[in-house]
Amino acid sequence: MDIPLKDNSRETKGTDASAPKQGQAQYTLGEQIGFFLRQANQRHVSIFAGLISEKLTTTQWAALVKLRDLQPCSQGNLGRDTAMDMATIKGVVDRLVKRGLVHTAPDAADARRLVLTLTEEGDAMVERNLPIALEISQQTLAPLTKAERMMLMELLQKIC
């Protein structure tokens, strides 16, 4: 990969077992993409938790908004469209059903499949929180210029 790494090709003094060998790249956590993506996500989740008017997680919000667009849809389709694995989407849906925000019913064509729809309360919750969700995105990206925001979104879409 063409990620910038510190040049550690110089011989190091001492006997530190964790020191890289001659010619070996050094792995420094604070220089890794995953480290920065996790920090950016933590920033976004903190802003989300502070502004969202309901006790929702980011994954619950994603499921509600996407279900509003897709309904009725299967749990599996909702998971795929929200980038959640089957175990995660099942847990998210179970919690939303328990809160009375999502209704499940067996699929008439395949009894193994659950068909999901928003309840009236679920739909109302999405409507109440859409302006807040837009504000959360704005605050998450606030340190960036408009051009930087567009570039970040393009680059993230490219690696996703």
Side-chain angles (χ1 to χ4, degrees):
M1 291 194 343
D2 293 341
I3 58 174
L5 296 173
K6 288 186 178 178
D7 180 14
N8 294 305
S9 59
R10 294 171 284 144
E11 205 167 311
T12 57
K13 295 184 179 185
T15 58
D16 184 2
S18 66
K21 296 177 182 157
Q22 186 173 2
Q24 182 181 22
Q26 179 179 345
Y27 182 93
T28 303
L29 179 63
E31 297 172 356
Q32 306 308 311
I33 184 65
F35 181 73
F36 289 109
L37 289 172
R38 186 175 55 79
Q39 284 187 312
N41 185 57
Q42 287 174 328
R43 173 181 157 69
H44 173 72
V45 169
S46 176
I47 293 166
F48 182 91
L51 293 180
I52 203 77
S53 64
E54 320 282 341
K55 297 282 186 195
L56 290 170
T57 66
T58 56
T59 53
Q60 289 170 341
W61 174 249
L64 287 170
V65 171
K66 186 52 85 169
L67 180 56
R68 188 178 133 207
D69 295 341
L70 299 175
Q71 66 183 335
C73 80
S74 72
Q75 186 169 287
N77 284 346
L78 183 61
R80 281 186 289 284
D81 282 12
T82 55
M84 292 183 223
D85 61 47
M86 293 306 286
T88 302
I89 193 63
K90 181 181 181 337
V92 168
V93 167
D94 287 350
R95 285 184 284 285
L96 294 172
V97 167
K98 191 178 272 191
R99 290 181 63 178
L101 303 173
V102 171
H103 174 73
T104 63
D107 187 327
D110 184 350
R112 299 169 296 169
R113 182 182 311 198
L114 284 179
V115 175
L116 309 176
T117 54
L118 289 177
T119 62
E120 284 186 31
E121 177 55 27
D123 192 54
M125 182 180 286
V126 170
E127 285 299 317
R128 282 192 304 272
N129 285 284
L130 284 173
I132 297 165
L134 290 170
E135 177 62 24
I136 291 165
S137 291
Q138 291 299 315
Q139 285 193 28
T140 299
L141 297 171
L144 304 176
T145 66
K146 184 176 179 178
E148 289 170 332
R149 291 173 185 202
M150 290 172 52
M151 184 186 316
L152 177 62
M153 294 300 288
E154 286 176 23
L155 292 171
L156 288 171
Q157 288 171 6
K158 193 171 187 176
I159 66 173
C160 292

